[in-house]
Amino acid sequence: MKKVLGSIVFVIYAIIAITVTLLLLTYNEYNCSEIGGYTVYIVNDDSLEPEYKQGSILLIKHTSDKNLKENDGMFLYKVVNKTLQSKTQQGRHITYVTTDDENYASDYLIGKESDTIVINGWGYALSLLESKWGYLFCIVIVSLLLFLQEAFE
């Protein structure tokens, strides 16, 4: 029974370690992970409340400019959540104008608010595991100890 329980714990740990490593390896220039057409964003403060609570994970589906319409909620890198008022295009360069009259280049577009999956509460744990020290102590050192334990048995 003890060996079965140990195996189950090891498999769960391995899944968590591989997932966190994959998220870290897929960081983009805005420090967000991009996996399978989604951007993973951790809500670190209360600036998005009441829609999105602090500590939530947002899986924002990537969308193209063609799928955005006026008055759609959209997520932008660095700004995160705005409502589209209008968009202008000059050649291949597209600029979004939001309801608070701010302009953003199309490079900052992540996706529509309606195409977002919210995972409440797990952002704290993921944020810890993705930090330098959290990754070192929770993933690297534990993996090393598990390896040494298997090597000396």
Side-chain angles (χ1 to χ4, degrees):
M1 180 67 178
K2 185 177 179 183
K3 191 152 182 108
V4 171
L5 184 61
S7 296
I8 291 171
V9 170
F10 177 75
V11 168
I12 292 170
Y13 171 77
I15 290 170
I16 291 170
I18 291 168
T19 302
V20 171
T21 303
L22 182 65
L23 288 171
L24 287 171
L25 290 174
T26 60
Y27 261 26
N28 61 18
E29 63 269 22
Y30 305 106
N31 288 332
C32 293
S33 299
E34 293 182 340
I35 292 182
Y38 286 87
T39 293
V40 179
Y41 180 79
I42 301 170
V43 180
N44 291 319
D45 54 27
D46 60 357
S47 64
L48 297 177
E49 288 187 359
E51 293 89 7
Y52 307 103
K53 300 205 179 305
Q54 184 176 357
S56 297
I57 298 172
L58 304 179
L59 300 175
I60 308 165
K61 185 177 181 180
H62 291 212
T63 189
S64 68
D65 173 63
K66 296 173 182 142
N67 295 330
L68 275 178
K69 297 177 182 69
E70 290 184 15
N71 297 319
D72 277 349
M74 63 182 181
F75 284 98
L76 301 160
Y77 288 114
K78 296 188 180 189
V79 178
V80 182
N81 189 6
K82 296 288 182 176
T83 302
L84 179 64
Q85 180 177 332
S86 65
K87 57 184 172 183
T88 59
Q89 184 168 358
Q90 294 176 334
R92 292 188 333 181
H93 183 72
I94 299 170
T95 302
Y96 301 111
V97 179
T98 61
T99 51
D100 50 3
D101 287 329
E102 295 181 12
N103 296 325
Y104 301 97
S106 60
D107 299 343
Y108 289 104
L109 175 66
I110 304 174
K112 292 169 56 171
E113 187 174 11
S114 60
D115 294 339
T116 300
I117 300 168
V118 180
I119 304 170
N120 290 315
W122 286 95
Y124 296 118
L126 184 57
S127 184
L128 171 72
L129 291 172
E130 285 186 341
S131 69
K132 286 185 244 181
W133 293 105
Y135 189 79
L136 176 68
F137 287 112
C138 296
I139 306 295
V140 176
I141 291 178
V142 172
S143 296
L144 178 64
L145 292 173
L146 288 171
F147 174 76
L148 291 174
Q149 177 187 3
E150 288 294 320
F152 291 113
E153 277 187 0

